[in-house]
Amino acid sequence: MSLSTKTYPSLSTNTYPPLEQLLEQARRRIEVTAPELAEARTRRSEVAEILRNEFTGCRVYCNGSIAHGDALTPLVDVDLGIVIPDPGHRYGPGKRGPSELKERAAEALRTGLREKYGDLRIEVKGRKRSILIRFRDPLRPGWEDFTADVIVAIDNPYARGLYIPRWDSWDRSDPETHTSLVLDAIEKTDKTYSRTIRLLKHWARQYDKPALCSWHIKALALGCLTRPTSLLTALEIWFDYAIAELNQRDTPDPAHVGPDIKTPDNDRRAAIRRLEKARDTLHEAISLEQDGWGVLAHEALANFFGDPDMLPRPERAKVIGQHAARLRARRRPDHRAAAAVALVPARPAVRSWAP
């Protein structure tokens, strides 16, 4: 989506607060709103109810950004799955594929949603896994159409997890455990996990082809964001961990059921280069703040996200002025040290060990 279509609350650029405060302001600007969530959940519930009526005894699970607590604004899609009873074990690898179940679910959804949404479109053919519902009814005027991805699944009778569609056959997966792991991480980190994921997902959006999909970002975060931290620290931890992991291997399924999570086009080197470049920009911002150059740190953090609506850049005149001051300070180390002392707020002494 182009930046011109985004609408965020205003953010004053009269002052240049610490990077952590800038991140807090930025993540609030991209956080999904209560009205968006309410409408999306209403549509998700409508889809779920139709499927429950069609497949007696099924269970519905929710996944994706709403279920995981990291949805961004504007909210334009929702994800859910239905696990269909298969007491006769007629479906699964080496047996019947998912096409029959997907077509049946799609027809039920067409019939059940048409009265309210009219000219909606439901796509099945040519889709690897999900049924795609195009409501043709955006949540707000001027936004993209709102969609829903519906996965038709069956229980795996022989091992943990589910069988989910892969074209005309099946893959193993465990999306219910994925959601459980994410929610547990949010609780253990006092929401640092979900807030950091929001920032990372938005960072990835600046590229036409993100280095990692949203689930890949979350899966890597499950391995490194395990306690409450500041957002700035969490971003540092994630980038360092993600780069180290991808340098070794594809990312294992956190539920230890499905296949490894791969990078786009299975090109890990390209993904790593993108992550390294972003990490370097983030480290530059942190270093500038530590050295007392707050305006330049702000500029570097804005460069990191590449979205002036989400994180406005500082005034150009102030950036130029601090660049000049920094150049002068480099020629006079004593002046640079004095500038750093004057510009960085004093921090209380913290003991890193216990007696």
Side-chain angles (χ1 to χ4, degrees), residues 2 20 42 56 61 79 84 104 110 123 159 185-186 295:
S2 65
E20 187 66 20
T42 295
T56 303
Y61 66 87
D79 302 276
I84 300 171
R104 180 178 164 188
R110 287 189 191 97
E123 300 176 9
I186 293 171
V295 176

Side-chain angles (χ1 to χ4, degrees), residues 170-236:
W170 302 91
D171 268 344
R172 288 189 64 193
S173 186
D174 196 351
E176 292 167 301
T177 295
H178 293 162
T179 296
S180 178
L181 290 170
V182 166
L183 296 180
D184 185 55
I186 293 171
E187 182 177 359
K188 286 182 176 178
T189 63
D190 192 22
K191 299 184 180 179
T192 297
Y193 178 93
S194 56
R195 290 171 177 175
T196 305
I197 294 299
R198 274 196 176 98
L199 291 171
L200 289 167
K201 286 167 58 176
H202 193 83
W203 162 77
R205 281 186 173 186
Q206 67 185 287
Y207 303 102
D208 293 334
K209 187 174 185 179
L212 304 174
C213 70
S214 294
W215 172 237
H216 204 164
I217 290 171
K218 297 179 194 181
L220 287 164
L222 288 172
C224 63
L225 301 184
T226 57
R227 59 184 176 83
T229 68
S230 68
L231 293 176
L232 195 60
T233 297
L235 287 173
E236 282 190 284

Side-chain angles (χ1 to χ4, degrees), residues 26-44:
R27 68 101 179 159
R28 289 190 178 97
R29 291 164 65 80
I30 60 175
E31 193 171 68
V32 67
T33 65
E36 291 173 72
L37 274 178
E39 178 63 21
R41 285 171 174 158
T42 295
R43 299 193 190 192
R44 185 178 67 183

Side-chain angles (χ1 to χ4, degrees), residues 84-121:
I84 300 171
D86 182 27
H89 303 304
R90 295 181 299 166
Y91 299 93
K95 301 176 185 179
R96 294 186 184 180
S99 297
E100 175 185 332
L101 297 176
K102 290 171 69 175
E103 290 290 353
R104 180 178 164 188
E107 185 56 34
L109 291 167
R110 287 189 191 97
T111 302
L113 294 171
R114 186 178 295 123
E115 181 177 354
K116 180 174 180 179
Y117 295 100
D119 187 30
L120 82 167
R121 180 177 176 182

